[in-house]
Amino acid sequence: MNILVDLFLTFARIGVCTFGGGYAMLPILQRELVESKKWATETELADYYAVGQCTPGVIAVNTSTFVGRSQAGIAGGIVATLGLVFPSLVIIMVIAAFLQNFMHLDFVVHAFNGVRAGVVALILSSVIKLFKNAVLDWPTRIIYAAVLAMAACGAFCPLPGGALGAVLCFVLSPVFLVIAAGMAGLCVRWAKGGLK
């Protein structure tokens, strides 16, 4: 099958079968891209997710662009991205047309509660898979613990206003944390024997 068609159909299938956003998509991306299609390794998928986290846009969309680009160049990146967003766009347009008429019904409210609980489970599954492939030794455990502590501080601590609040918002933002973790990884590699 033509690689561009394969990219579009694969990512369209991922897009139509996934609820809950980028993190919840990770188990399906892992199954389709790593196990089934062999378009990426576990490590590459984790790297795509890390870069997708600190670049503008939705993580899953960024990941589809990276994978498509690696398989078929710029055209592959565009086609994979379109494949991922097309089903969601159609479904959201249909839902938006009818949802307001049904949001007050009990069975709709309970259905959304169930979907949210399921999404939490999918995200936890993604976290466990990423943890197993990324936190491998003492340096990565220390980096993990430091970033987790800073992220938790940003999530649970109210930030003061003014200049101090602006600095804390920057320091605790996911972009800064990913960049800081990358720099820490480079420092560890350098300390172990230099960079090649």
Side-chain angles (χ1 to χ4, degrees):
M1 181 185 290
N2 183 299
I3 185 64
L4 294 178
V5 174
D6 198 11
L7 281 166
F8 183 87
L9 293 177
T10 299
F11 280 100
R13 188 168 58 248
I14 292 168
V16 81
C17 295
T18 307
F19 299 91
Y23 293 111
M25 280 186 169
L26 187 57
I28 294 174
L29 287 170
Q30 192 268 340
R31 186 185 69 228
E32 289 290 327
L33 305 180
V34 176
E35 296 171 11
S36 177
K37 296 293 186 179
K38 311 282 192 223
W39 286 341
T41 64
E42 293 273 3
T43 304
E44 288 170 339
L45 188 60
D47 290 344
Y48 293 150
Y49 249 62
V51 174
Q53 173 71 40
C54 62
T55 53
V58 181
I59 298 169
V61 173
N62 293 346
T63 302
S64 68
T65 306
F66 296 144
V67 172
R69 169 74 170 77
S70 73
Q71 296 303 306
I74 293 172
I78 293 169
V79 167
T81 303
L82 290 175
L84 186 73
V85 300
F86 180 74
S88 301
L89 180 65
V90 172
I91 292 168
I92 290 297
M93 287 172 51
V94 170
I95 289 174
F98 299 104
L99 187 60
Q100 290 303 321
N101 299 330
F102 301 104
M103 276 303 289
H104 66 283
L105 300 176
D106 280 346
F107 76 90
V108 174
V109 171
H110 294 304
F112 275 102
N113 289 341
V115 167
R116 283 194 293 269
V119 166
V120 170
L122 289 172
I123 292 172
L124 181 59
S125 169
S126 301
V127 168
I128 292 168
K129 286 183 180 182
L130 283 171
F131 183 87
K132 287 179 179 177
N133 290 310
V135 182
L136 304 171
D137 52 16
W138 278 107
T140 53
R141 288 180 191 137
I142 292 168
I143 293 169
Y144 167 79
V147 172
L148 180 64
M150 291 175 71
C153 182
F156 297 114
C157 297
L159 298 176
L164 179 59
V167 170
L168 286 176
C169 280
F170 174 74
V171 169
L172 300 177
S173 78
V175 174
F176 174 79
L177 295 177
V178 170
I179 292 170
M183 297 301 292
L186 285 173
C187 291
V188 168
R189 175 69 179 145
W190 179 77
K192 284 184 174 179
L195 298 171
K196 294 181 181 179

